[in-house]
Amino acid sequence: MRLTRYFLPVLRENPAEAQIVSHRLMLRAGMIRQQAAGIYSWLPLGFRVLRRIEAIVHDEQQRAGHIPLLMPTLQPADLWRESGRYDDYGQEMLRIKDRHGRDMLYGPTNEEMITDIFRAHVESYKSLPLTLYHIQWKFRDEVRPRFGVMRGREFLMKDGYNFDVDYDSAMHAYNRHMVSYLRTYERMGLHAIPMRADSGPIGGDDTHEFLVLADTGESEVFYDKAILDLKMGGRNVDYTDRAACAAIVHEWTTPYARTDETHDVSLYHALPQDRQATSRAIEVGQIFYFGTKYSEPMGAMVVNEHGERVPVHMGSHGIGVSRLLGAIIEASHDDKGIVWPEGVTPFPVGIVNLRQGDTATDAACDMLYAALTARGLEPLYDDRDERAGAKFASMDLIGLPWRITVGPRGLANGKVELTSRRSGESEEMSPEAAVDRVAQIYAGV
Ligand code: ATP
Ligand code: MG
């Protein structure tokens, strides 16, 4: 993409309404525009990152054997009357009447609807296990929408629902979700810690939240520092292997890690003092096992292997897709702007032309542009007629992890400069070598 043909409405001034750094940087980098409290348009740069995050979520869910579908944003109230939640949900639910006076709502979550789909089409344990998920907009009329996409009213969520014939099988689904979530966050450059949580209004026995440490987080957490050393890394997970999934869950849930809601002071103080840590943190996901809470009242039954009709065991599992943009920026920025991890960056690399209009410099940039594009690494080429300083400032603000700088002086020696946004370090090399290096970096992402 050439910057002169793109739509990147960067702000020079710090927007007054933004209280936290991720919100400020998303506005300044031209990623979002607020349309009403907690409701945003996703401008092209923000939309690219949102799509990258979605792609990782899809990839990891499908790797775990979970099946994508798409349910609507608007739901009939009657479904929620069946589960009893229509009245319980309170003011967070946006209630709408259609022209015939029928009660509708903008879905804050989809347990009822997925249970309805299940009961209409599944009868036997032989169709199980089954996990269906979607990535869809949700609406919750939050009392205090704030911090940009972190606490929106309209927000994008991945929500998945498992259906299993018994408790053991449902716990395997729970474990699959935990493992796939750990992989998902790690691919986004995040260290998200699973923490025992309270079940809240969705109800349930087993539940973990995934928290990213950040000063601006809304949760207070207590943890054993040993958990920070855990990595999923490149390990290959066999999601059909119950023992293997359970072992990973055991590994990640053994070090103490809890939110203030479930914090146990005596367990925490039993840790060696130098491993006790407390912080603010951002909730980027949550998994629940809730058994037959919805299947029973809504009649989602299957015939088990003994020929008995039993309510199906369920769980629901959410990732805050749009909140993740804010969380990633909170975890990865400096005083010049965003520092995107390679896994989610809107463009893998930027090209800065130091002498726009100079024949040789323009030609070298065009060559780099074509070579990178041919290797599936679409660059953002700053081809504006601007001073070098302004170009660097924009690149630093929008946070592409790698930048290739092209100027007449370097080209005289056949060199361009490759710079890491994270470390600030630069290295001179031939344009061909720079393309190879960038390709190498992204081959492992
Ligand atoms: P919170 O405690 O932050 O209000 P929640 O526990 O009510 O969130 P869940 O029902 O667990 O939310 O939804 C799954 C995920 O969706 C959350 O872990 C969070 O990342 C994201 N999420 C929830 N509410 C919002 C919101 N208002 N704006 C953006 N993301 C949200
Ligand atoms: Mg939650």
Side-chain angles (χ1 to χ4, degrees):
M1 181 60 66
R2 286 170 177 270
L3 197 46
T4 52
R5 299 195 196 144
Y6 201 39
F7 181 64
L8 185 68
V10 165
L11 304 181
R12 259 174 247 291
E13 303 297 320
N14 263 330
E17 74 267 32
Q19 298 165 27
I20 63 170
V21 67
S22 58
H23 187 195
R24 196 153 60 231
L25 288 173
M26 287 183 80
L27 290 169
R28 284 199 50 210
M31 297 176 67
I32 50 170
R33 175 171 176 78
Q34 182 173 311
Q35 308 291 175
I39 300 178
Y40 292 88
S41 287
W42 292 80
L43 304 182
L45 194 75
F47 186 53
R48 277 183 88 101
V49 180
L50 192 67
R51 285 285 178 255
R52 295 293 304 269
I53 290 175
E54 279 187 271
I56 293 174
V57 172
H58 274 301
D59 191 45
E60 292 300 331
Q61 285 310 297
Q62 288 170 51
R63 194 189 296 272
H66 304 159
I67 303 169
L69 48 46
L70 186 60
M71 291 175 271
T73 52
L74 294 183
Q75 306 187 18
D78 283 343
L79 271 182
W80 289 68
R81 293 195 174 102
E82 283 188 57
S83 71
R85 282 209 294 182
Y86 188 65
D87 294 324
D88 291 353
Y89 217 94
Q91 294 208 301
E92 272 198 12
M93 181 183 276
L94 180 64
R95 296 157 207 263
I96 304 162
K97 266 196 202 308
D98 71 11
R99 68 195 297 165
H100 305 291
R102 282 187 286 250
D103 291 325
M104 309 285 289
L105 57 100
Y106 194 129
T109 177
N110 284 61
E111 282 80 6
E112 283 78 359
M113 188 166 278
I114 199 80
T115 305
D116 176 63
I117 292 171
F118 181 88
R119 70 181 171 188
H121 299 290
V122 181
E123 281 164 6
S124 161
Y125 75 97
K126 289 179 189 154
S127 305
L128 306 183
L130 178 65
T131 296
L132 300 170
Y133 78 93
H134 71 165
I135 298 179
Q136 178 62 292
W137 295 96
K138 303 289 183 288
F139 196 95
R140 294 182 187 173
D141 206 351
E142 303 271 357
V143 199
R144 279 221 295 158
R146 57 184 183 150
F147 300 161
V149 300
M150 292 274 229
R151 183 163 298 283
R153 291 197 295 166
E154 189 186 48
F155 60 97
L156 192 59
M157 195 204 285
K158 170 264 162 183
D159 43 322
Y161 306 87
N162 70 283
F163 300 92
D164 286 276
V165 70
D166 56 25
Y167 176 79
D168 286 349
S169 164
M171 285 322 286
H172 176 49
Y174 187 87
N175 292 344
R176 274 199 322 269
H177 279 90
M178 183 173 296
V179 173
S180 66
Y181 280 26
L182 292 171
R183 282 184 55 97
T184 301
Y185 299 125
E186 213 165 281
R187 280 181 67 181
M188 297 174 187
L190 290 173
H191 196 283
I193 306 173
M195 300 201 185
R196 213 153 101 201
D198 241 6
S199 53
I202 292 186
D205 307 313
D206 286 280
T207 174
H208 281 85
E209 289 174 347
F210 294 80
L211 288 120
V212 171
L213 304 179
D215 296 340
T216 49
E218 292 183 295
S219 309
E220 188 179 9
V221 301
F222 302 83
Y223 61 97
D224 176 349
K225 282 183 192 161
I227 202 158
L228 300 178
D229 298 329
L230 295 181
K231 286 247 165 346
M232 287 300 291
R235 56 179 124 169
N236 245 332
V237 183
D238 176 356
Y239 282 103
T240 63
D241 183 339
R242 290 189 180 196
C245 291
I248 295 172
V249 168
H250 181 75
E251 178 189 345
W252 282 79
T253 54
T254 302
Y256 185 85
R258 304 236 183 136
T259 64
D260 54 355
E261 287 159 359
T262 53
H263 183 45
D264 180 325
V265 178
S266 58
L267 280 179
Y268 178 68
H269 283 134
L271 293 172
Q273 197 134 28
D274 62 339
R275 278 176 30 203
Q276 295 174 13
T278 167
S279 170
R280 308 293 299 177
I282 302 164
E283 181 192 327
V284 292
Q286 184 160 14
I287 56 177
F288 286 99
Y289 163 74
F290 49 69
T292 59
K293 180 177 156 81
Y294 297 94
S295 55
E296 225 154 343
M298 294 186 66
M301 314 287 279
V302 287
V303 174
N304 68 15
E305 56 185 325
H306 309 298
E308 303 151 348
R309 263 169 69 78
V310 294
V312 72
H313 286 252
M314 292 174 62
S316 70
H317 315 278
I319 293 180
V321 172
S322 51
R323 178 181 287 183
L324 272 166
L325 275 94
I328 292 167
I329 297 172
E330 290 294 327
S332 186
H333 67 270
D334 61 19
D335 52 6
K336 295 187 215 141
I338 303 167
V339 183
W340 290 116
E342 276 86 357
V344 299
T345 183
F347 295 93
V349 55
I351 301 173
V352 167
N353 184 337
L354 293 178
R355 182 83 54 82
Q356 206 71 45
D358 175 77
T359 315
T361 318
D362 289 359
C365 288
D366 289 342
M367 186 288 270
L368 279 167
Y369 190 99
L372 287 162
T373 305
R375 295 177 69 163
L377 299 161
E378 189 193 348
L380 181 64
Y381 172 20
D382 191 342
D383 60 342
R384 295 171 304 164
D385 192 10
E386 279 276 1
R387 288 176 302 108
K391 291 192 176 188
F392 290 148
S394 303
M395 280 291 172
D396 286 344
L397 172 63
I398 67 172
L400 308 185
W402 297 93
R403 181 185 84 207
I404 301 175
T405 310
V406 186
R409 211 175 314 150
L411 281 180
N413 302 315
K415 305 274 192 204
V416 297
E417 203 177 61
L418 180 65
T419 306
S420 156
R421 173 69 180 84
R422 189 170 294 279
S423 70
E425 280 164 25
S426 296
E427 210 185 314
E428 289 208 324
M429 59 187 80
S430 69
E432 294 76 15
V435 172
D436 283 342
R437 181 74 70 80
V438 173
Q440 214 170 42
I441 290 163
Y442 283 95
V445 172

